[in-house]
Amino acid sequence: MSKVNDPLHRVCIAGASGRMGQMLVEAVRGSGDCELTGALDVATSTAVGLDAGAFSGKATGVAITADLAAGLSGSQVLIDFTRPEGTMAHLQACVAHKVNLVIGTTGFSDAQKAQIAEAAKSIAIVMAPNMSVGVNVTLKLLEMAAKALSTGYDIEIIEAHHRHKVDAPSGTALKMGEVIADALGRDLKECAVYGREGVTGERDPSTIGFATVRGGDIVGDHTVLFAGTGERIEITHKSSSRATYAQGSLRAVRFLAGRSTGLYDMFDVLGLR
């Protein structure tokens, strides 16, 4: 854990050779108050053994490893934007080594979410489907809008991501739906509509609709449409770079400093609760 008067947050990054992993490596390098102390990847990755900064041509002195214990050694926090099965393995290692965790992974089952909540009794965890500061401010705006537009407005959530994304709707879109449903006193599991085809009948005004687009290199676009009679309100967030997720993750790392247990999200990190 932290040395006395050590100003640096010692960070390990999971999936260090991936697109998001490399963005996180660069964010840590440029932060001034964070130090890269570990880099993880799967054993089958050709990046294992390489310097974590090799892809950018800027050596970090930290080699990518598939050994969880070695990667977490000397680290205070692991940042994980991998896949659910990988994150769950990392979760157990973090509990065993008393390393806090920032989770940006999406697509968890209810059972996996319950395991994360249980682990938060032993370590401190920030989990959010989107680490972007702007997205989380947008979530707060959606909460306010939903309360004001609770009757007479149909709600649709449209999201677009790159062709490589494996889950749909996006975790961010689902979080938007949860925030809106909570504000309206509804259960998203009961009112969500994820697809329409054929003769669907008239729209049920109590539903929240989702539409998904996948293609190209779209980083992440989300629009929530409140469609009323004679007007519509659209609240949109568009990401042009993964850098915003990386910077939000570092804010989560700083938030966890000094915390030993608990499950938090970006509303806690940003003071939006």
Side-chain angles (χ1 to χ4, degrees):
M1 296 302 287
S2 180
K3 300 175 184 177
V4 176
N5 298 324
D6 186 350
L8 295 178
H9 304 284
R10 299 195 300 279
V11 179
C12 179
I13 294 171
S17 68
R19 293 186 300 272
M20 190 63 214
Q22 283 298 294
M23 189 67 71
L24 286 163
V25 168
E26 287 302 299
V28 169
R29 281 175 50 87
S31 68
D33 66 344
C34 295
E35 177 186 5
L36 184 67
T37 50
L40 298 172
D41 218 325
V42 294
T44 54
S45 172
T46 56
V48 170
L50 297 179
D51 189 281
F55 297 91
S56 64
K58 300 174 183 177
T60 63
V62 175
I64 297 175
T65 180
D67 185 329
L68 296 186
L72 294 174
S73 178
S75 298
Q76 297 167 308
V77 184
L78 173 68
I79 304 177
D80 190 329
F81 278 76
T82 58
R83 294 188 180 181
E85 59 273 18
T87 300
M88 299 312 294
H90 300 155
L91 177 72
Q92 297 309 313
C94 284
V95 169
H97 295 280
K98 295 297 181 182
V99 173
N100 287 340
L101 185 57
V102 173
I103 301 175
T105 305
T106 60
F108 293 110
S109 67
D110 287 344
Q112 288 171 328
K113 289 178 182 177
Q115 290 179 52
I116 292 169
E118 182 64 25
K121 297 176 182 178
S122 301
I123 60 173
I125 301 172
V126 170
M127 182 170 72
N130 195 308
M131 294 287 172
S132 159
V133 173
V135 160
N136 283 280
V137 171
T138 300
L139 291 173
K140 190 65 177 180
L141 294 174
L142 290 173
E143 180 181 51
M144 296 167 62
K147 290 177 179 178
L149 306 172
S150 59
T151 58
Y153 292 84
D154 297 321
I155 303 168
E156 297 284 321
I157 301 172
I158 306 101
E159 60 99 343
H161 281 84
H162 53 86
R163 63 167 67 97
H164 302 292
K165 188 166 179 60
V166 298
D167 57 314
S170 70
T172 301
L174 291 172
K175 182 64 174 179
M176 288 176 165
E178 289 171 3
V179 166
I180 292 167
D182 287 347
L184 296 173
R186 303 176 193 169
D187 184 343
L188 186 63
K189 291 180 181 178
E190 296 178 358
C191 67
V193 174
Y194 295 111
R196 298 186 180 99
E197 184 179 6
V199 181
T200 60
E202 185 173 324
R203 189 188 194 283
D204 181 341
S206 69
T207 59
I208 297 174
F210 289 82
T212 296
V213 176
R214 292 289 178 268
D217 62 353
I218 302 169
V219 175
D221 292 354
H222 295 85
T223 294
V224 178
L225 170 66
F226 295 86
T229 301
E231 68 175 3
R232 65 179 182 271
I233 298 96
E234 296 180 3
I235 298 177
T236 297
H237 179 277
K238 294 186 177 183
S239 296
S240 58
S241 168
R242 292 178 180 82
T244 182
Y245 309 142
Q247 292 304 318
S249 298
L250 294 190
R251 290 183 71 157
V253 166
R254 296 177 186 114
F255 172 84
L256 287 177
R259 290 178 166 84
S260 58
T261 60
L263 181 59
Y264 307 94
D265 62 17
M266 286 300 286
F267 270 29
D268 296 307
V269 172
L270 300 174
L272 297 174
R273 184 63 57 205

